Amino acid sequence: MPLPFDLAEATRYLSSKDEKLATLIAETAQFRTDTDAAQSPYEALMESIAYQSISGRAAATIFGRVKALASHGRPPTPEQMLKLRTPQLRKAGLSHAKILAMKDLAAKTISGVVPTREQAEKLSDDELVERLVSVRGIGAWTVEMFLIFNLGRPDVLPIHDLGVKKGWSVTYGKKHMPKPKELLAFGEQWRPYRTIASWYMWRAFERAGYKVTNKILPAKVRKRLAAAKAAKAAKSAKPKSKPRKPPRRKPQ
């Protein structure tokens, strides 16, 4: 599916605004997202629920079993999902919480809270966030990923995403992870292409590797660890008092 914005213009704009980001863009792969125009918001969010809190391989297996329950190669329709019994879904590998989330997603799709693909493309990012976070088990981060990877929206900044935050720290030579407000304020210079900038923060995180990024911690944690280290150093540097020798007895 073609991007709904001009990528060349976006990268030129970001490079002109941010020297460090310009270097990152020049040194890494070209931005791309594999958006699926045939996947409805309902299907995309159902898949997101299946993938929550477990490994990708396990989630793919479980989601494959869920799709098999519909026998047409795609996830169960909202109507089918509401009719599926809990034991069937549990046998497929879904947790109780994920079953409740998928059934709520199905109900809100039927009621119109979760829009169709055509409707979603006409709604603003804020309108979609407001609607979709009302679904059980769907948070702001999940909706942001949907906006980026399903709809191809150009101006999404996932301020709570660990990879984006640590990628920012690597790119701008920071030893701490930014607070969400700090990242949000910094990202203003990237408008209206914050999605593309975020994508390159992910690339910076991947390129640095875990050996480097595991040392990047929130500012509060860094300060606490530094204070503990300083206290330990001060304690070890303090001279220890020598034990007093007992007085010598005079011979009688």
Side-chain angles (χ1 to χ4, degrees):
M1 174 183 171
L3 292 170
F5 58 90
D6 187 331
L7 179 58
E9 171 58 30
T11 51
R12 277 197 300 269
Y13 176 85
L14 291 170
S15 296
S16 69
K17 289 282 186 178
D18 187 330
E19 186 178 341
K20 289 188 182 294
L21 182 54
T23 301
L24 183 60
I25 290 171
E27 292 177 350
T28 54
Q30 186 182 54
F31 171 88
R32 68 181 182 86
T33 57
D34 298 322
T35 55
D36 181 0
Q39 192 178 42
S40 68
Y42 163 75
E43 291 175 331
L45 294 172
M46 179 182 284
E47 187 171 4
S48 295
I49 291 168
Y51 274 73
Q52 287 173 355
S53 305
I54 58 176
S55 72
R57 181 178 294 182
T61 299
I62 291 169
F63 193 55
R65 292 177 190 151
V66 173
K67 288 195 291 185
L69 295 174
S71 71
H72 52 61
R74 299 187 73 85
T77 65
E79 292 78 12
Q80 288 173 326
M81 176 53 68
L82 290 179
K83 289 178 182 178
L84 286 169
R85 300 182 55 150
T86 297
Q88 288 177 281
L89 295 167
R90 289 287 287 159
K91 190 175 180 180
L94 291 174
S95 67
H96 185 65
K98 289 183 180 181
I99 292 169
L100 291 177
M102 286 186 181
K103 286 189 176 288
D104 189 47
L105 173 66
K108 286 188 167 75
T109 299
I110 292 170
S111 69
V113 173
V114 177
T116 64
R117 175 86 187 200
E118 186 179 1
Q119 291 168 341
E121 289 173 350
K122 295 175 183 177
L123 294 171
S124 70
D125 293 353
D126 289 341
E127 287 171 322
L128 283 166
V129 170
E130 184 179 356
R131 283 198 191 198
L132 299 180
V133 296
S134 71
V135 177
R136 186 183 184 120
I138 298 293
W141 181 87
T142 300
V143 180
E144 287 164 350
M145 296 304 104
F146 167 73
L147 292 171
I148 293 171
F149 295 106
N150 192 272
L151 294 182
R153 295 290 172 91
D155 195 34
V156 181
L157 176 57
I159 57 174
H160 298 283
D161 185 273
L162 188 66
V164 171
K165 290 194 291 185
K166 289 197 173 188
W168 178 88
S169 301
V170 170
T171 302
Y172 299 96
K174 306 293 185 180
K175 294 182 178 180
H176 72 283
M177 267 199 303
K179 293 180 180 178
K181 286 184 179 179
E182 181 183 1
L183 184 56
L184 186 64
F186 187 92
E188 282 300 307
Q189 66 182 308
W190 298 334
R191 282 185 184 272
Y193 299 114
R194 293 181 297 171
T195 293
I196 294 85
S198 299
W199 191 89
Y200 279 104
M201 294 304 106
W202 279 317
R203 303 292 78 74
F205 170 74
E206 290 172 352
R207 191 167 66 159
Y210 289 113
K211 188 175 181 180
V212 171
T213 56
N214 281 347
K215 295 177 183 178
I216 299 171
L217 302 168
K220 283 185 179 180
V221 176
R222 286 191 64 84
K223 287 180 182 178
R224 189 165 65 243
L225 291 176
K229 187 177 181 180
K232 187 177 180 180
K235 187 176 180 181
S236 62
K238 188 177 179 181
K240 295 180 180 178
S241 57
K242 294 182 179 180
R244 296 180 62 185
K245 294 181 180 180
R248 295 178 64 183
R249 292 184 179 181
K250 294 181 179 180
Q252 295 183 356

